[in-house]
Amino acid sequence: MAARTDLFQSPDYYQVDELLSEVQKHIREAVRNYVKREISPVIEEYAQRAEFPQQIVKQLGELGCFGPTVPVEYGGGGLDYISYGLMMQELERGDSGVRSTASVQGSLVMFPIYAYGSEAQKKKFLPKLASGEWLGCFGLTEPNHGSDPSHMLSNFKDAGDHVILNGSKMWISNAPYSQVAVVWAKDENGKVYGLIVERGMEGFSTPTTHGKWSLRASATGELVFDNVKVPKENILPNVSGLKGPLSCLSKARYGIAWGVIGAAMDCYDTALQYSKERIQFDKPIGSFQLQQKKLAEMITEITKAQLLNWRLGTLMNENRATPAQVSMAKRNSCEVATNICRDARQMLGGMGITGEYPVMRHMMNLESVITYEGTHDIHLLITGMDVTGFNAFK
Ligand code: TGC
Ligand code: FAD
């Protein structure tokens, strides 16, 4: 398959660009150019082969996509949340797996070490994670506890200067290539803590998950802990309880809300161009009302989501965004993006199922994104509980 030339033109129907600062636009441009240069030409091949493009780890570190909101003194970017959102939008415009690599590293590995770690932990881990020298992963989900992590079985017991960790985690992005895993497990009193588990610790393994039809260019695996000796200095000292992992998820879900709109923008742009070039019944298919309805609805939903994301970013910058607001944006963006990618695929007819165009890859990726970081149903129930005060989970 020939390398794809990326001719993406970003839709901005309501001049949302005018809401962005020059710095934010500059950051977006840098990431967009990186995606055009390094991701779009090769990502389809990696996805077809179900292979993780390992070179992106260093590249994303150099570009500043790991921990952009972490302070500069720890190797982060010291940037605001809208800049972070724009980065995720551009990366996911390339591929959800690329954005996944960045959002796991920044929001799920660097953020908890920064927010809840000791000074020694921050100094040891953050600069290497920020630069891409090390890759990290986040272990919360277990084989029998996905939406309900409160019943997790992974546990550790006190053994003097270290603890003994047992259990397993499933569906862990980046796991097979990670040097570091932030793992959530219960102590002897059933209280949840975060542990930094390092590759090479005896009894720790990360088997790869095979056979995915989605996120094929992202590496997914298990984390298996068989009496792993974890030094006590690797326990995050400043958080306990489920709010530790859940607060990380709020940061990552925010990034996803922006990210999937990037994928939707790519599908819209592809379908729009195709509709002007593809002739049937002696006319471009874009001149038929049914195809125009799809395009009109796509650009309407993209524009609404861009504005919602921008407003949420403003609230994040002011430290006023609630987890329920983040859930609403994650859910809305995933729904909108999933529908847009499906419609775009239909507009491309038979060509829509091939790797000549990015649409089917985005469409399949989004089936994971609408499921991870809290399923579509879970986010609906979070909104439902927020507005009614009634908990419908249990
Ligand atoms: P609940 O009693 O509601 O909450 C326990 C404590 O946590 C607090 N909290 C939050 N804090 C910060 N941010 C949030 N989003 C929070 N949500 C809850 C809460 O206030 C409470 O604090 P405290 O002080 O009272 O103890 O917990 P619950 O057991 O009833 O569960 C609630 C529920 C179902 C919403 C939650 O468990 C949930 O969100 N489940 C979904 C699980 C999930 O999202 N897993 C994601 C795994 S990671 C992943 O998918 C990575 S994919 C990465 C990629 O490749 O991009
Ligand atoms: P389940 O929780 O078993 O849910 C099955 C169905 O039941 C869903 O439709 C759900 O909405 C519904 N359901 C569950 N509870 C309720 C309820 N109370 N009311 C109504 N409906 C309900 N996890 C990590 O920890 N780290 C990672 O890096 C990570 N990466 C991932 C990468 C990929 C590619 C995938 C697919 C998953 C990843 N996950 C990761 C796991 C992901 O977060 C979980 O898959 C997700 O939280 C759902 O859990 P589950 O798959 O066990 O589904």
Side-chain angles (χ1 to χ4, degrees), residues 138 140-141 146-147 171-173 368 371-373 375 377 381 393:
F138 174 89
L140 180 64
T141 306
S147 298
W171 293 118
I172 308 304
S173 301
S368 285
T371 295
Y372 69 34
E373 298 271 4
T375 67
D377 296 333
L381 293 175
F393 292 106

Side-chain angles (χ1 to χ4, degrees), residues 241-310:
L242 214 51
K243 66 174 180 291
L246 293 181
S247 63
C248 306
L249 294 182
S250 282
K251 308 288 180 206
R253 291 166 176 172
Y254 168 76
I256 289 173
W258 284 83
V260 293
I261 295 306
M265 282 159 50
D266 202 33
C267 290
Y268 165 76
D269 183 54
T270 305
L272 179 61
Q273 296 313 323
Y274 193 83
S275 78
K276 293 177 184 173
E277 290 159 9
R278 177 70 178 166
I279 309 291
Q280 289 294 286
F281 301 96
D282 298 325
K283 286 179 172 175
I285 59 167
S287 64
F288 300 125
Q289 287 184 1
L290 281 175
Q291 306 311 315
Q292 288 188 8
K293 177 174 186 292
K294 291 191 182 78
L295 291 165
E297 286 176 351
M298 286 181 199
I299 190 62
T300 305
E301 292 307 323
I302 286 171
T303 304
K304 283 154 67 180
Q306 286 171 333
L307 288 164
L308 190 76
N309 286 343
W310 178 83

Side-chain angles (χ1 to χ4, degrees), residues 23-132:
V23 173
Q24 289 163 348
K25 282 191 264 192
H26 177 76
I27 289 166
R28 182 188 57 190
E29 216 47 36
V31 181
R32 182 170 295 167
N33 289 338
Y34 162 74
V35 167
K36 284 195 173 187
R37 199 178 58 244
E38 303 287 346
I39 302 298
S40 303
V42 299
I43 196 66
E44 183 65 32
E45 288 282 355
Y46 279 96
Q48 295 274 356
R49 292 198 302 266
E51 184 183 332
F52 176 57
Q54 289 184 63
Q55 71 277 10
I56 69 170
V57 178
K58 268 264 172 231
Q59 292 171 351
L60 292 173
E62 280 162 16
L63 198 58
C65 290
F66 290 154
T69 60
V70 165
V72 178
E73 60 177 304
Y74 296 114
L79 296 172
D80 73 299
Y81 277 94
I82 291 181
S83 300
Y84 168 51
L86 289 165
M87 284 178 164
M88 297 303 116
Q89 174 188 291
E90 295 305 315
L91 292 180
E92 194 145 3
R93 214 272 303 167
D95 190 81
S96 301
V98 178
R99 194 269 310 138
S100 247
T101 301
S103 53
V104 168
Q105 182 94 333
S107 294
L108 299 182
V109 180
M110 293 176 66
F111 170 74
I113 295 174
Y114 169 66
Y116 308 125
S118 66
E119 198 52 35
Q121 290 168 345
K122 290 183 210 182
K123 290 209 167 102
K124 176 174 174 188
F125 294 104
L126 292 179
K128 287 197 165 73
L129 290 162
S131 68

